[in-house]
Amino acid sequence: MVEKFVERIEEARPSSSGTGTVEVTLRRDLGLLEVLMIGIGPNIGSSIFVLIGIAVGIAGPAIILAFILNFFVTLFTAMAYAELASAFPETGGGYLWIHEGLFPPFGFLGGWMSWVGHCIACAVYALGFGVGVQALFEQYDIDFFGLSPDVIGKLFAALIAIAFIYLNYRGVKSAGRSEILVSAFLIGILALFIAFSIGYVLGNGAAPDAFAPFWAFGSMSIATSMAFTFMIFEGYEVVAQTGEEAKNPERTVPRAMFLCISISCFIFVLVAIVTLAVLGWQETAAQGESALVAASALTVPILGGALISIGIIIGSIAAVNSIVFSASRVSFAMGRDGNLPGAFGKLHAKNQTPSTALVVSGVIIVFAVLTLPLASVAAVADILILLLFTLVNVAALTLRKKRPDVKRHFITPFFPVIPLIGIGTKLFLAVALFSYEPFAWYLAMAVIFVGLLLHYFAKGRKEIERVEVPERTPMTKAELKKYRVIIPVDEPNQAIIDIGCILATRHNGEILFTSIVEVPNAVPLDAVDPARVMEKRKMLEKLKNQTEARGVPVRGLVAVSHEVVTAIIETAQEEQANMILIGWKGYTNTKKRILGRKLDEMVRRTPCDLIVLRAEERLRPESILILSGGLWHVSSATAVAADIAAANASRVTILNAIINDKYLTKAREYAKRLTGIVQDAGVPVITKEIRPETIVGGVVSESLEYDLLVMGTSAVRAWEHFDFGPIQDKIIRNAKCPVLIYKHVVASTAEERRQREEEEREEIEEEKSERVQEKATGMKER
C-alpha cells in the first residue's frame, strides 16, 4: 500500500547527522473479532427489529424464504468483496475498487452511491431508535410534553443522529472495544426473545395463520421483500472500510465478511419464524415496524415489549455509530481523490477529524429522518446499495484484467460466473423494488443526477496525497532474542532514559524509543497530518542521537494508530520486548483511575515486564529505599535498584514494615534474599525494620529520607480494581520521593512459577491482615 509517505517525510525533513533514521509505521489494531462486530452492529441493529413487520406485509410468511435467498444472493457479491479486500485493503471499500477498476464517471458514482446510501441507511437506524423510544413511552404511559408518538419518534431519531455526528466531529473515542459488548448484548436480547417465544409457542401453540398461506402474495413478492430487506445484509460493506486498521487484512477482512453474513442470516431467519409463530403473519404485517415489540409483549415475562424496545435502542446506537464512521470515510476518501470538493478531504485543524465530510453526512441523515417515512428511507437505501454492489461486481471483473499483478489471498471460485450472477441478481432486486415503492426509485435517480452534476461542475481540482509507509521488515530470530527495552515517548523524561540505558547496558541489549501519533476513529490512518509525524520523528531522532552518544544501541519508531495503548502493546509483542519503561507525573484527573486511563490499561495488559517511574527530573539518587516483599516482582525490582545504585554510587536500604508478628520470620527471610541480590551487585546495603500502624503510612513516612523508593507489585487478580496492589497503589500516589514500581510478567521456570504462586498466596494473606489493621486503626482514630 505504502511507499509515498516516507518519500514525503524525507522531502520534508532536514538533513540529519544521526547514525540512522527513525522508522514510521501505521499500526493495525483490529483483530477478527473487532472487525466482525463492526459489521454485525449494522446488520442486527435496529433494522432487524423494525423491518420484519413491514417485510411480512410485502411477502407474508415467505419472508423466511426471502431471507434465505438473500443470503445466497449476498454471497455472490461478498465473494467479489472478499477478493478485492484481500488484494486492495486500503480504506474506501467498494468506492476504492470501482474507482480503480472502472472509467469515469462510474468511479465517482460508486463512491457517491456508497456515501449517500450509507447516510440514508443511517437514517433508517436512527428512525429505529425513535421507534424504540416511542414504544417505551407508550408501554409505560410516559407523556413527553404532549407530543404525538410520530413526532417523538422523529425527534429522537434526529437527536441520535446529531449526537453521533458531533461525537465523531469532536474525535471522541469509544471506550475500548465497545462494539463487541454492544453486539453481544444485542445477540443476547434476540436470544432471549427467541427462547421465550419458543416457550410461548410450545405452551400455547402457534398462531393459526403463522405460515399459511406461505405464498400469500405470489412469487414476485419474495423478490420485492428481498430487495426491501437487502440493506440488513450491508454490514460487510462496513467491514470493507476497516482494511487499513485490521491486522492481516488480506485474511481478516474476508473472514469477517463471510462470518458477518452467515451469523446475521441465521438470526434473521430464527427471529422471523418465532415472530410469525407468535403473532401470525397477518398480525405481524398489521403491526408493521412494531411487530417484534408486540410479540415480545406476549412472550417475555416482566419486561414484555420493553425487552425489544431496549434492543432497538441499543442496536440503533451501534448501527448509527458504525454507519457514520463508514459514510464519513467514503466521502473523506472521495475528497482526497478529487471526486468531491477538496474540503471533504481535509481534517479539522484542532480535532483532526474530517469535519466537512461529517457535517454534510449529518445534514443528509437528518434531512432523510425528518422528511421521509421509514419504508421510503429503507427503499432508497436498498436501491443505492444494490446499484453499488452491482458496480463492485463489475470492478471485480475488470480488475482481474487490469491488475493481474496484485496478490489475491482469496480467489472468487467459478470466475467470471459468480460476479456475473451477482450483477444480474442485484439489478433484478433493484428493479423489483419499483413495484413496491416507485417514489424511492425517483428519489434514487435524483440522487444520482445530483451526484453527476457535482462530479462535472464541483469536484476537487486535484488529489490530496495520502500518508503511506512501507511495511516493516520482519526481524530475524537473532535480533528478536536480543534484550530490548521499549520506552514510549510523548514528552522526553530523562529519568526514564537513564534507567533504560542502565538496563540495556547491563543486559547487552538495546532501547527502542516509540512515539504514537493517535488519530480519531473517523480518520483513516494514512490521512494523518504528515507534520504531526515529522514532529514526533524529529523528537525521537534527537533522543536517539543523544542516547547513542552514551554507547547504547538505539532504534526509533513512530506509529500511527487509533489506540495508543494497543499500539504500544502490539509493538512490544512484535519486538519480543523484555521491558516497557513508562513515566507517570504523579497525579490523575479522576479518582476512578489509579494512574490514568491509558496507564492503567497499559499496566494491566502489558505483555512483558514493566516499570512505572514517578519522577519528573533527572534521576541521580544518593539513597534508595526498597520495600521488602516475597514475590518475584520485588526480586526483579531489587535487581533494577541494585543496577541504579551501582551506576550512581547510591546507598541501599531494605525496608521491612511489620504489622503482624505472625509474618515476622517470613518477612526477615524475604529481606535476607533481597539483601543478597544487592550485595551480588557490589552495592552496600542495610536492612531496616519498622512497626507502623499501617504499611502505607509507615512507608510514606520513611520515603521522606530517601531519593528513590523501589517496590514490586503484589498479587492482583484480573477482577480487582488495582494496578499494582491495594498497598502499592496508595504508596505510589502518596510517597514523598520519586517512586519506581516493577511488574514482573513471565516466570522463566516451573520452579519459579510454583514459588511465585506460593508467595502470592502468602502475600494475599498479609494484605488481608494489613486491611484489617487499617480498618482497626481508622475506627480507633474515630
Side-chain angles (χ1 to χ4, degrees):
M1 141 187 138
V2 289
E3 283 80 18
K4 296 181 182 177
F5 172 66
V6 167
E7 296 175 5
R8 295 177 60 200
I9 291 294
E10 294 299 334
E11 290 172 1
R13 65 191 290 261
S15 60
S16 173
S17 59
T19 59
T21 61
V22 171
E23 291 182 88
V24 180
T25 185
L26 305 183
R27 176 58 61 188
R28 303 177 185 272
D29 51 17
L30 296 178
L32 175 62
L33 183 60
E34 290 87 359
V35 174
L36 172 62
M37 290 307 174
I38 287 174
I40 287 284
N43 273 16
I44 62 171
S46 59
S47 56
I48 182 62
F49 294 96
V50 301
L51 294 185
I52 281 185
I54 302 173
V56 169
I58 299 172
I63 187 61
I64 298 169
L65 179 60
F67 281 147
I68 296 172
L69 292 175
N70 251 346
F71 169 74
F72 291 103
V73 168
T74 301
L75 277 182
F76 297 135
T77 299
M79 290 181 189
Y81 261 83
E83 176 175 319
L84 294 172
S86 72
F88 309 96
E90 294 87 353
T91 292
Y95 158 66
L96 171 72
W97 307 324
I98 297 169
H99 183 262
E100 181 77 15
L102 303 182
F103 55 86
F106 290 106
F108 166 81
L109 282 178
W112 177 255
M113 288 189 295
S114 177
W115 174 40
V116 179
H118 278 89
C119 288
I120 297 177
C122 189
V124 175
Y125 303 130
L127 286 167
F129 180 85
V131 169
V133 173
Q134 175 186 332
L136 273 182
F137 284 4
E138 290 179 348
Q139 180 166 352
Y140 293 104
D141 295 323
I142 298 174
D143 181 18
F144 192 74
F145 301 106
L147 298 177
S148 68
D150 289 342
V151 173
I152 290 173
K154 292 280 188 179
L155 174 62
F156 278 90
L159 287 177
I160 191 66
I162 292 170
F164 275 100
I165 290 293
Y166 177 73
L167 290 175
N168 279 272
Y169 174 83
R170 290 293 305 272
V172 176
K173 301 183 74 65
S174 58
R177 294 292 186 265
S178 58
E179 297 91 352
I180 298 176
L181 297 177
V182 171
S183 296
F185 183 78
L186 286 175
I187 293 173
I189 285 179
L190 289 171
L192 281 176
F193 170 69
I194 292 167
F196 281 122
S197 296
I198 292 173
Y200 176 87
V201 171
L202 291 176
N204 299 278
D209 64 339
F211 307 107
F214 191 78
W215 309 92
F217 300 105
S219 56
M220 191 59 195
S221 67
I222 297 176
T224 305
S225 64
M226 287 173 63
F228 181 76
T229 59
F230 193 82
M231 65 169 292
I232 65 180
F233 286 93
E234 73 152 345
Y236 68 90
E237 160 66 17
V238 181
V239 168
Q241 302 292 334
T242 67
E244 203 169 77
E245 285 81 30
K247 303 172 187 175
N248 194 10
E250 297 84 0
R251 290 180 170 83
T252 298
V253 173
R255 289 174 184 172
M257 287 178 180
F258 291 124
L259 284 172
C260 179
I261 296 166
S262 302
I263 293 170
S264 300
C265 181
F266 180 72
I267 293 173
F268 298 160
V269 171
L270 282 181
V271 170
I273 289 173
V274 298
T275 303
L276 291 171
V278 170
L279 295 179
W281 75 265
Q282 295 185 65
E283 180 61 21
T284 300
Q287 290 288 341
E289 60 200 36
S290 301
L292 262 67
V293 176
S296 180
L298 289 176
T299 61
V300 180
I302 303 176
L303 285 176
L307 176 71
I308 294 298
S309 297
I310 293 170
I312 293 173
I313 291 170
I314 300 299
S316 300
I317 291 173
V320 169
N321 190 36
S322 289
I323 299 300
V324 166
F325 160 87
S326 182
S328 62
R329 282 205 166 192
V330 173
S331 55
F332 178 66
M334 293 178 71
R336 292 160 73 196
D337 289 341
N339 277 319
L340 282 177
F344 281 82
K346 295 180 180 178
L347 299 177
H348 189 276
K350 179 181 178 180
N351 300 329
Q352 291 295 302
T353 54
S355 52
T356 301
L358 282 164
V359 170
V360 178
S361 297
V363 170
I364 296 172
I365 294 167
V366 173
F367 176 80
V369 162
L370 296 178
T371 60
L372 297 173
L374 178 61
S376 296
V377 175
V380 174
D382 286 320
I383 292 168
L384 293 176
I385 291 169
L386 285 165
L387 294 177
L388 167 68
F389 288 173
T390 300
L391 292 179
V392 170
N393 280 292
V394 176
L397 294 170
T398 60
L399 284 172
R400 276 283 187 101
K401 293 184 177 180
K402 290 181 65 175
R403 298 295 303 275
D405 57 307
V406 178
K407 184 177 181 180
R408 290 160 169 80
H409 295 268
F410 177 88
I411 303 295
T412 302
F414 306 110
F415 189 89
V417 175
I418 294 296
L420 289 173
I421 294 175
I423 293 169
T425 52
K426 299 302 180 296
L427 287 175
F428 173 73
L429 291 180
V431 172
L433 263 179
F434 185 83
S435 62
Y436 172 72
E437 190 73 34
F439 173 73
W441 255 104
Y442 301 145
L443 187 56
M445 291 298 99
V447 167
I448 293 173
F449 179 71
V450 170
L452 289 173
L453 290 178
L454 281 173
H455 175 66
Y456 287 111
F457 298 107
K459 68 178 182 178
R461 295 184 179 180
K462 62 179 181 179
E463 181 175 340
I464 298 175
E465 288 185 285
R466 287 175 169 79
V467 171
E468 298 188 350
V469 302
E471 297 291 341
R472 298 184 67 199
T473 303
M475 300 178 71
T476 64
K477 290 183 178 180
E479 290 173 330
L480 289 172
K481 288 181 180 179
K482 194 172 187 178
Y483 186 91
R484 187 165 293 106
V485 179
I486 290 184
I487 302 181
V489 182
D490 186 26
E491 298 176 359
N493 182 321
Q494 193 58 51
I496 286 287
I497 295 172
D498 290 342
I499 294 176
C501 289
I502 291 170
L503 291 174
T505 301
R506 178 173 182 264
H507 295 279
N508 192 29
E510 68 174 10
I511 293 175
L512 174 64
F513 289 119
T514 181
S515 191
I516 312 301
V517 180
E518 190 174 26
V519 297
N521 288 332
V523 179
L525 294 178
D526 67 353
V528 65
D529 184 354
R532 297 177 65 199
V533 178
M534 265 308 307
E535 181 182 358
K536 296 284 189 181
R537 188 170 183 177
K538 287 179 180 178
M539 176 185 67
L540 293 192
E541 286 179 341
K542 183 178 179 180
L543 289 178
K544 182 175 182 291
N545 293 336
Q546 291 173 348
T547 307
E548 284 178 334
R550 300 168 66 172
V552 179
V554 181
R555 291 189 296 122
L557 175 68
V558 176
V560 182
S561 175
H562 294 303
E563 294 282 350
V564 170
V565 175
T566 299
I568 295 172
I569 287 172
E570 291 184 353
T571 298
Q573 290 171 333
E574 288 178 3
E575 298 275 344
Q576 294 188 14
N578 303 87
M579 175 70 69
I580 297 176
L581 277 175
I582 52 179
W584 182 51
K585 295 182 178 180
Y587 59 86
T588 182
N589 295 327
T590 173
K591 293 182 179 180
K592 295 181 180 179
R593 304 290 182 181
I594 310 301
L595 307 178
R597 182 184 67 82
K598 292 179 181 178
L599 284 183
D600 285 355
E601 187 179 355
M602 173 67 68
V603 170
R604 290 162 190 168
R605 292 176 58 193
T606 179
C608 62
D609 286 9
L610 177 139
I611 288 176
V612 174
L613 179 67
R614 198 198 79 183
E616 296 185 7
E617 299 177 357
R618 198 178 189 100
L619 196 63
R620 291 287 187 266
E622 295 182 4
S623 57
I624 299 175
L625 181 66
I626 302 174
L627 179 59
S628 181
L631 290 182
W632 288 97
H633 306 283
V634 183
S635 300
S636 300
T638 302
V640 172
D643 291 337
I644 295 172
N648 294 281
S650 310
R651 303 184 308 275
V652 175
T653 300
I654 307 293
L655 180 66
N656 245 342
I658 309 297
I659 62 167
N660 190 330
D661 287 339
K662 175 183 177 181
Y663 303 106
L664 179 59
T665 301
K666 184 66 71 174
R668 287 176 176 172
E669 290 177 2
Y670 294 158
K672 183 178 179 180
R673 184 175 72 183
L674 301 182
T675 299
I677 293 173
V678 179
Q679 289 174 339
D680 289 344
V683 175
V685 56
I686 62 172
T687 301
K688 182 176 182 179
E689 273 188 13
I690 61 174
R691 293 178 177 271
E693 291 187 347
T694 67
I695 291 180
V696 174
V699 175
V700 170
S701 178
E702 287 292 323
S703 69
L704 285 165
E705 303 176 13
Y706 293 85
D707 301 318
L708 177 65
L709 170 63
V710 176
M711 300 184 293
T713 64
S714 65
V716 177
R717 300 292 184 258
W719 59 84
E720 293 180 318
H721 188 63
F722 302 118
D723 278 359
F724 309 110
I727 294 172
Q728 289 86 343
D729 285 357
K730 293 178 182 177
I731 292 174
I732 193 173
R733 287 183 293 189
N734 294 288
K736 307 304 179 184
C737 68
V739 181
L740 182 152
I741 188 162
Y742 192 113
K743 180 175 181 179
H744 184 62
V745 172
V746 180
S748 57
T749 66
E751 177 63 20
E752 283 184 354
R753 289 193 292 271
R754 186 192 64 77
Q755 292 183 23
R756 180 179 179 183
E757 291 170 359
E758 180 182 340
E759 291 170 354
E760 281 182 354
R761 287 193 294 269
E762 292 176 355
E763 182 147 342
I764 289 171
E765 290 298 319
E766 291 180 16
E767 287 178 353
K768 288 180 180 178
S769 178
E770 162 70 6
R771 295 181 199 179
V772 170
Q773 184 70 23
E774 284 187 348
K775 289 180 180 178
T777 302
M779 292 176 65
K780 182 178 178 181
E781 291 174 351
R782 288 195 293 271

